[in-house]
Amino acid sequence: MAAQRGQRNGVGGDTPPAPTAAEVTTPIPRVAEVPAARERARAIPEAAVARLAVYLRVLSAMQEQGAGTVSSEELATAAGVNSAKLRKDLSYIGSYGTRGVGYEVAVLIEEIERILGLTRKHSVAVVGIGNLGHALANYGGFPGRGFPVSALFDVDPDLVGVPVGGLPVDHIDDISRVCAEREVSIGVIATPPPAAQTVCDRLVEAGVQCILNFAPVVLQVPDHVEVRKVDLAVELQVLSFHVARRADDAAATNGQQVNGMVVS
Amino acid sequence: MAAQRGQRNGVGGDTPPAPTAAEVTTPIPRVAEVPAARERARAIPEAAVARLAVYLRVLSAMQEQGAGTVSSEELATAAGVNSAKLRKDLSYIGSYGTRGVGYEVAVLIEEIERILGLTRKHSVAVVGIGNLGHALANYGGFPGRGFPVSALFDVDPDLVGVPVGGLPVDHIDDISRVCAEREVSIGVIATPPPAAQTVCDRLVEAGVQCILNFAPVVLQVPDHVEVRKVDLAVELQVLSFHVARRADDAAATNGQQVNGMVVS
DNA sequence: CTGACTTTGTGCACGCGTTCACAAGCGGTA
DNA sequence: TACCGCTTGTGAACGCGTGCACAAAGTCAG
Ligand SMILES: NC(=O)c1ccc[n+]([C@@H]2O[C@H](COP(=O)([O-])OP(=O)(O)OC[C@H]3O[C@@H](n4cnc5c(N)ncnc54)[C@H](O)[C@@H]3O)[C@@H](O)[C@H]2O)c1
Ligand SMILES: NC(=O)c1ccc[n+]([C@@H]2O[C@H](COP(=O)([O-])OP(=O)(O)OC[C@H]3O[C@@H](n4cnc5c(N)ncnc54)[C@H](O)[C@@H]3O)[C@@H](O)[C@H]2O)c1
């Protein structure tokens, strides 16, 4: 169990569980370890980064509608957050607003794109061209946003060579070569759960440092690889929890319950 | 703009931004408003709920492999969290472990399922049977986990009546009737962005109280409706941010940078 | 029955993220 | 130029979630 770590995704923060190896160097309470250099704007909370992406989308929509400036209040409402949080989020990337006026839409778009690293294109590889893989490959929303899908992989010989969304499927065994050739920086795993870890290892071996995982599996990756997961079953179960909570609440306020079980 | 609220999803907590109407009742600092009754086990953090769903999946896998008991350490490792967090999470739902031994897998599964409301089936309706809708409808993982997909809707007349994943597509105009008949409790939105809000409103009108949204749009819903969103573009952009951060770090430690721009 | 060992459950402290509240700053107006 | 109103940017407080560390509680060997 050399390098194992929880995925960064989902709700709530996920601070590094502990030093991966060399448990405790000295029993001194950890002070500021970073040498204060290279400490730039690195302190953006992950939650804020995710919201910046949302702001960016809203701003793009506003720009298409011809808006020149926005106030934090407007933008916040459109993005579904309160204005204080929005301003704090924007303050992480700098001061690009004009007091008494608001923000220039174009400027804000540019700065957020810069922070998110969207000035560079990020080639995406999809592994596992089944139900979900097909949907992803056919989806037009990624290339348009700077994430061209430039490689597809599957193990099924019937699929290899077949074009999906205009791009022919490569065999999984060629993953290293193809990823290198096409400078893939993000790998998307859409294989069945049992294959996910193997595919992940291959992606890492191929030099891919960012992975988006759709398989309901906890992936083990080295520290330098970033994993985010999308787990639809978890999403549904969280919703289910809220249904149950609601039902309980209703029962409790009506006094209609026996030993914790709702009586209909 | 009567009832508008941010989506509950993604990273970080999202406490109710403010009383929806009737801004301040009294200028007294809010004390414990809940009458202390119906205060049961309601205090489970959303982040913990999401993790419970993960534990449940891991436990199911363990049970299939014939495991009878697990320690918090084992389960935590398998789920990608540290054991303290896991025990804390489990403590929210009660004390079902045996000190010195661990947890009975079967008991834990049962209790988590009870808390998540999985003892009841939750019928799911998918709206928008395009690329993504097809994948969702064909996916076998939901029915097996207590989430039968029991209704499909689209506006395209060519699709209506066509069976997808063994279930014929209904017209969106029949949504209220069909949802009522089949007791749909969760709606999944997989339409193009412009249609999402309308579809959402129709789902709410049809009595659906939980919505999973794939369209990159901030939905406006009444307070009693729970929305979670899955935004793949945001996921990719967060990954992109980490790529950029990494590149910056590398450049900074090498001293290879000019005015904030990396020189290759 | 006793004692040693194992693992749970949790009180507490810390840190991060959210929210509040207001000074600072800018444009418009007289 | 001086004033006024509006909006940004942020210091500080608050609250929540995480992680630590240990007492409580159980098992098992002898
Ligand atoms: N389809 C959905 O809507 C949906 C929803 C939630 C989660 N998921 C998850 O997404 C993943 C994919 O789902 P799906 O419905 O597309 O499954 P699928 O069975 O339709 O497709 C899986 C594809 O992966 C390929 N594959 C298998 N092993 C491989 C390997 N080692 N290397 C490369 N390719 C390999 C298969 O040939 C197949 O084409 C699963 O883990 C599933 O649990 C899917
Ligand atoms: N396909 C993907 O991989 C992917 C990835 C990320 C996000 N998304 C998002 O998911 C959504 C669906 O994507 P897609 O690729 O499946 O799109 P799609 O165009 O393939 O399918 C959309 C479907 O919705 C139907 N529709 C349109 N208006 C409707 C209405 N008012 N009521 C009911 N149905 C209606 C259309 O007839 C079509 O069948 C989009 O919002 C997209 O941004 C998709």
Side-chain angles (χ1 to χ4, degrees):
Chain A
M1 198 206 319
Q4 82 103 34
R5 199 187 47 198
Q7 254 84 109
R8 282 220 178 291
N9 215 11
V11 196
D14 198 319
T15 39
T20 309
E23 208 47 323
V24 191
T25 43
T26 33
I28 301 170
R30 67 286 286 283
V31 259
E33 292 191 46
V34 184
R38 69 186 259 269
E39 179 59 301
R40 242 174 318 195
R42 205 54 32 72
I44 307 181
E46 183 112 342
V49 173
R51 285 192 298 269
L52 283 173
V54 174
Y55 305 152
L56 181 58
R57 192 206 313 134
V58 174
L59 285 165
S60 300
M62 286 176 168
Q63 194 176 42
E64 278 179 23
Q65 289 174 7
T69 58
V70 266
S71 69
S72 61
E73 196 62 44
E74 291 175 84
L75 186 51
T77 303
V81 300
N82 64 10
S83 61
K85 191 186 284 186
L86 178 123
R87 287 201 300 277
K88 179 68 93 181
D89 287 344
L90 292 183
S91 78
Y92 291 128
I93 67 174
S95 300
Y96 301 104
T98 308
R99 294 169 190 236
V101 178
Y103 303 89
E104 267 189 59
V105 174
V107 172
L108 223 44
I109 288 177
E110 196 171 344
E111 294 302 329
I112 294 179
E113 284 185 340
R114 187 177 55 79
I115 288 289
L116 294 183
L118 301 178
T119 47
R120 200 184 308 181
K121 287 237 181 296
H122 298 273
S123 289
V124 175
V126 179
V127 186
I129 312 301
N131 286 319
L132 192 55
H134 268 87
L136 294 170
N138 282 317
Y139 182 51
F142 296 150
R145 289 241 168 242
F147 295 95
V149 178
S150 52
L152 306 176
F153 299 101
D154 205 295
V155 77
D156 185 346
D158 292 344
L159 272 171
V160 174
V162 176
V164 177
L167 189 67
V169 176
D170 283 300
H171 194 276
I172 183 74
D173 288 343
D174 297 330
I175 192 168
S176 261
R177 181 179 55 77
V178 175
C179 282
E181 279 175 11
R182 305 184 194 168
E183 294 180 324
V184 168
S185 53
I186 297 177
V188 177
I189 298 179
T191 65
Q197 183 62 57
T198 308
V199 164
C200 174
D201 293 343
R202 291 212 192 186
L203 280 168
V204 171
E205 198 189 317
V208 175
Q209 301 214 331
C210 291
I211 291 174
L212 183 57
N213 178 33
F214 284 91
V217 174
V218 179
L219 294 179
Q220 313 289 328
V221 294
D223 278 358
H224 63 90
V225 175
E226 198 71 34
V227 175
R228 289 185 71 85
K229 69 172 201 284
V230 175
D231 194 324
L232 303 190
V234 168
E235 299 297 332
L236 291 181
Q237 286 171 6
V238 172
L239 286 176
S240 167
F241 169 77
H242 284 110
V243 176
R245 189 174 61 88
R246 241 182 274 287
D248 280 1
D249 276 357
T253 45
N254 293 341
Q256 291 287 352
Q257 83 173 61
V258 175
N259 194 19
M261 298 300 292
V262 179
V263 179
S264 67
Chain B
M1 195 199 322
Q4 82 103 36
R5 200 187 46 198
Q7 255 84 109
R8 280 217 182 295
N9 215 13
V11 198
D14 198 319
T15 38
T20 308
E23 207 50 320
V24 192
T25 42
T26 34
I28 301 169
R30 67 286 286 285
V31 257
E33 292 192 46
V34 184
R38 69 186 258 270
E39 178 59 298
R40 242 174 317 193
R42 207 51 34 72
I44 307 181
E46 183 111 343
V49 173
R51 284 192 300 268
L52 283 173
V54 175
Y55 305 153
L56 180 58
R57 192 207 312 133
V58 173
L59 285 165
S60 301
M62 285 176 169
Q63 193 176 43
E64 279 180 23
Q65 289 175 6
T69 59
V70 265
S71 69
S72 62
E73 196 62 44
E74 291 175 83
L75 186 51
T77 302
V81 301
N82 65 6
S83 61
K85 191 186 285 185
L86 176 124
R87 286 200 300 277
K88 179 75 89 181
D89 287 345
L90 292 183
S91 77
Y92 290 128
I93 67 175
S95 299
Y96 301 104
T98 306
R99 293 168 190 236
V101 178
Y103 303 87
E104 267 189 59
V105 174
V107 171
L108 224 45
I109 288 177
E110 196 171 344
E111 293 302 329
I112 295 178
E113 283 184 341
R114 187 176 56 79
I115 288 290
L116 295 184
L118 301 179
T119 48
R120 201 183 306 179
K121 287 238 181 296
H122 298 272
S123 288
V124 174
V126 179
V127 185
I129 312 301
N131 286 320
L132 192 55
H134 269 87
L136 294 171
N138 283 317
Y139 183 49
F142 296 151
R145 289 242 169 240
F147 295 94
V149 178
S150 52
L152 306 175
F153 299 101
D154 205 296
V155 76
D156 186 346
D158 291 344
L159 272 171
V160 174
V162 176
V164 177
L167 189 68
V169 177
D170 284 300
H171 193 275
I172 183 75
D173 289 343
D174 297 330
I175 191 167
S176 262
R177 180 179 56 77
V178 174
C179 282
E181 280 174 11
R182 305 184 193 168
E183 295 179 323
V184 167
S185 54
I186 298 177
V188 177
I189 299 179
T191 65
Q197 184 61 57
T198 308
V199 164
C200 174
D201 293 343
R202 292 212 191 187
L203 280 168
V204 171
E205 197 188 317
V208 175
Q209 301 214 331
C210 291
I211 290 174
L212 184 57
N213 178 32
F214 284 91
V217 174
V218 179
L219 294 179
Q220 313 288 328
V221 292
D223 278 357
H224 64 89
V225 175
E226 197 70 34
V227 175
R228 290 184 71 85
K229 68 173 200 283
V230 174
D231 195 325
L232 302 191
V234 168
E235 299 298 331
L236 290 180
Q237 285 171 7
V238 172
L239 286 176
S240 167
F241 169 77
H242 284 110
V243 176
R245 188 174 62 87
R246 241 182 274 287
D248 280 3
D249 276 356
T253 46
N254 293 340
Q256 290 287 351
Q257 85 175 64
V258 175
N259 195 19
M261 297 301 292
V262 178
V263 179
S264 67

